[in-house]
Amino acid sequence: MPTSTLFSMNQQPIFTGSGNSKAAEASADADEDAEAEQPSSPSVKKAEEKGIVVVHEAKCKVYVKHDDATKGWKDIGVGQLSIRCKEGAEKASKESTPTVVIRNDVGKILLNAMIYKGIKMSVQKNTVASIFHTSDAQSESDGGNVVARTYLLRLKNEEAATNLSAVIKEN
């Protein structure tokens, strides 16, 4: 009689007699099929939001200016930038609520800020610098105050930077 451990993954049913051999083969085949379909590893998938349209996407590196001007820029990380607007709303209107969202490869939000009327940007080579109003809350449960901070977005080339600034201006 075969010995099996309590947590064995490949347990075979033990049948006595000769009439159940086909049933044993069928259950073994069913076990092999169940093992073949293992769930995939978790990954970040783009979720389609109803009523929201992505008007621009680019990969960029994000920096934020320190409160202490002598320290310079703090590297936040690399992420996928997307500018989202409400579908069907007129461009550059309050109803369109254009928003800049930057997520890293894991899905953590690096920047989530609305684009406001009269936003000023500084475009130099492959970078775009602008002031965005973001929450200083450390977690979603905190209320947090809205704080104006200067962000620098470094893109792959000068053309990508000018395209980004143009899309921000038109929205």
Side-chain angles (χ1 to χ4, degrees), residues 30-118:
D31 286 346
E32 288 174 11
D33 290 343
E35 286 180 2
E37 293 182 28
Q38 294 180 357
S40 63
S41 63
S43 64
V44 178
K45 294 180 181 175
K46 289 186 180 182
E48 294 282 328
E49 296 179 50
K50 290 184 180 179
I52 303 292
V53 63
V54 176
V55 294
H56 187 76
E57 282 189 317
K59 191 154 183 106
C60 68
K61 188 159 187 163
V62 185
Y63 299 91
V64 65
K65 192 142 194 161
H66 276 283
D67 294 333
D68 183 7
T70 60
K71 291 186 178 181
W73 296 95
K74 177 184 173 189
D75 182 2
I76 296 179
V78 177
Q80 184 69 24
L81 175 139
S82 61
I83 298 178
R84 303 162 183 238
C85 296
K86 281 191 180 172
E87 196 171 19
E90 185 181 329
K91 282 188 177 186
S93 66
K94 262 192 171 178
E95 292 79 35
S96 69
T97 60
T99 307
V100 175
V101 178
I102 302 175
R103 290 182 181 266
N104 66 6
D105 293 336
V106 181
K108 180 184 173 194
I109 295 177
L110 303 176
L111 175 64
N112 183 6
M114 290 182 65
I115 299 172
Y116 52 90
K117 187 174 181 148

